[in-house]
Amino acid sequence: MKDIKIESSFTVYEDLNELPKDVANLMKEASKIRLKAYAPYSKFLVGAAILLDNGEVITGNNQENASYPSGLCAERTAIYYAGAQFPDAKILKMALTAGSQSQSTTTPIPPCGACRQSIAEYEFKQESSIEIYFMGTFGKVIKSNSLANLLPLGFDKSFL
Ligand code: THU
């Protein structure tokens, strides 16, 4: 028997001004699309913006449904669209912003487990890391150099 330790490290930016320009712009795109989320049930709005290696920026937001499980998170709305439209492009960066409709928050809100699994799929597909930046509605931004940091001991195609 032995114990193993898996460590993840992240970078914390105080606000958008501290981010590299391209990432700040990507986060602004995520903030814009967040406000167009269709979230009448949770009233929790999420925006995602993806930068591809061909320069394209793909955005998405959460889309809810009266049959709750039929809805889809912002991250997956965006990443599946990117995969559908640009199957050969690599995803370089992803910016995420989330918060409830009624109040703003500076607490960075990370992607849910299902979205982590979905983003991980694309890291395996493209054989390179995706930088993930996430924030609340304003203020602090946390950066993960790779989705793998957010999903240790993940499941992937190598097990199939
Ligand atoms: N949501 C996302 O869009 N992304 C996440 O990573 C977490 C949750 C959405 C789903 C639902 O529409 C609302 O936020 C509340 O859970």
Side-chain angles (χ1 to χ4, degrees):
M1 196 274 272
K2 67 170 181 181
D3 293 325
I4 59 165
K5 189 166 154 190
I6 301 174
E7 285 186 273
S8 290
S9 64
F10 301 91
T11 307
V12 181
Y13 298 87
E14 278 315 304
D15 56 37
L16 288 191
N17 298 321
E18 237 184 52
L19 287 172
K21 194 106 207 115
D22 66 326
V23 180
N25 287 338
L26 201 62
M27 194 55 96
K28 284 178 192 159
E29 290 302 316
S31 294
K32 270 197 255 169
I33 200 77
R34 174 180 171 269
L35 297 177
K36 295 183 185 168
Y38 177 59
Y41 306 105
S42 71
K43 299 191 173 10
F44 187 80
L45 314 182
V46 186
I50 291 174
L51 176 65
L52 301 179
D53 67 350
N54 61 9
E56 292 279 345
V57 172
I58 306 296
T59 58
N61 50 30
N62 49 329
Q63 296 294 314
E64 296 187 349
N65 194 285
S67 171
Y68 291 5
S70 300
L72 195 65
C73 290
E75 295 88 332
R76 281 176 286 163
T77 302
I79 208 164
Y80 291 152
Y81 185 79
Q85 293 297 320
F86 301 101
D88 301 324
K90 288 191 178 186
I91 297 168
L92 302 178
K93 302 172 192 204
M94 216 168 164
L96 312 172
T97 169
S100 72
Q101 208 166 45
S102 53
Q103 75 192 56
S104 45
T105 178
T106 58
T107 304
I109 300 179
C112 76
C115 288
R116 294 181 199 203
Q117 181 69 26
S118 299
I119 300 166
E121 181 70 23
Y122 290 85
E123 285 199 339
F124 284 104
K125 178 186 173 214
Q126 66 187 36
E127 296 177 335
S128 62
S129 311
I130 299 172
E131 290 178 11
I132 318 278
Y133 298 81
F134 55 92
M135 72 170 190
T137 47
F138 72 103
K140 274 195 176 51
V141 177
I142 296 183
K143 173 192 180 189
S144 177
N145 285 329
S146 161
L147 189 280
N149 284 335
L150 291 164
L151 193 62
L153 299 179
F155 180 84
D156 64 68
K157 63 182 179 184
S158 69
F159 301 114
L160 296 176

